[in-house]
Amino acid sequence: LPISSSRVFENLWKSCAEDSTGISNCKKFDSLLSLPGHVQACRALMIIAIIFGLLACVISLFGLRCTKVGSSDINTKGKIALSGGIIFIFGGLSSLVAVSWYAAIITKQFYDPLYGGLKYELGDALYLGWAGSILLILGGAFLTCSCKREKKTPAGRYQYDYSATKNVPSDFKHKQGSDTAGSSKAYV
C-alpha cells in the first residue's frame, strides 16, 4: 500500500511533507547561502523583530511607574517607556515587512504561469504574523501615547500650591456636639 504525500508546506526554516496518515517529515534547509535572497532577508528581518520585541519588553518594564528599578522620577520613567514603545513599533514594522514580503513572493509565484517549481498558498503562519505585527505596532503606539510631558508654566505666571490649604479649618464642617434638629449634612 503506497503512502502518498498529501500536503507540502515550507517556511523560513524548513520544508515539510505530510502524508495521508498525518505524519509529517520535515527537513531543514541544507545551506544558508543556497536559499533564495528573499528567504534570507525575511529570516534576518524576523530575527531583528524578535530581538527588538525582547529589548522593548525589558526597557518598558524599567519605564513602568510601579517598578523601583532605575530612576524614580516620573519624567524619566516616561522617557524610558517612550523609548520602549518606539522599539516595539520598529519590531512590529520589521515583522510586518518580512511577512508581507514572503506573502508577496508566494502570491507572485502562484499566479505566474511560467513558474516551474511548487506553487504554495498562504498559510496560517502568515496570518498570525500579520496579526502579531499589528499588535506590536498598536502596543508600541499606545505605550508612546501614554507618556506625559512635563507642563511648563509660561513666563510671568505663577502656579498656586493648593497643598497648603489642606490644614486650614473650615467653618462649613459639621461640628460635633452642636444641636441641629434636622439633617446632619453640611451644605457648601
Side-chain angles (χ1 to χ4, degrees):
L1 186 76
I3 298 176
S4 62
S5 176
S6 63
R7 191 169 82 128
V8 177
F9 55 96
E10 186 175 285
N11 58 28
L12 293 175
W13 313 103
K14 59 188 173 185
S15 178
C16 299
E18 186 177 289
D19 59 17
S20 58
T21 61
I23 298 173
S24 61
N25 296 319
C26 296
K27 178 185 171 192
K28 291 183 181 180
F29 295 123
D30 295 330
S31 171
L32 176 67
L33 298 176
S34 67
L35 291 173
H38 73 277
V39 174
Q40 292 178 13
C42 288
R43 275 182 165 189
L45 285 170
M46 289 305 287
I47 290 171
I48 289 170
I50 290 169
I51 291 171
F52 275 165
L54 289 174
L55 183 66
C57 283
V58 171
I59 290 174
S60 297
L61 283 175
F62 292 140
L64 292 176
R65 290 183 185 171
C66 61
T67 59
K68 301 294 183 191
V69 180
S71 176
S72 60
D73 183 30
I74 292 177
N75 293 326
T76 307
K77 291 269 189 189
K79 290 175 184 176
I80 293 171
L82 174 72
S83 61
I86 290 171
I87 295 173
F88 269 127
I89 292 172
F90 284 146
L93 289 174
S94 175
S95 175
L96 185 66
V97 166
V99 172
S100 298
W101 190 3
Y102 197 79
I105 296 295
I106 289 173
T107 306
K108 185 181 88 171
Q109 289 173 353
F110 185 81
Y111 288 114
D112 185 10
L114 302 176
Y115 181 70
L118 285 174
K119 293 187 177 189
Y120 296 102
E121 293 184 13
L122 302 180
D124 298 335
L126 290 173
Y127 297 111
L128 287 174
W130 279 317
S133 300
I134 296 299
L135 288 176
L136 268 175
I137 293 169
L138 282 176
F142 289 149
L143 193 58
T144 55
C145 291
S146 70
C147 299
K148 295 181 182 176
R149 290 186 184 175
E150 182 180 356
K151 293 183 180 179
K152 296 183 180 178
T153 319
R157 294 194 178 185
Y158 299 100
Q159 287 186 341
Y160 183 74
D161 185 19
Y162 289 100
S163 63
T165 61
K166 290 182 181 176
N167 297 330
V168 176
S170 174
D171 292 334
F172 296 109
K173 291 184 180 176
H174 176 68
K175 295 180 183 175
Q176 301 244 354
S178 64
D179 291 345
T180 53
S183 125
S184 64
K185 296 181 183 177
Y187 294 98
V188 179

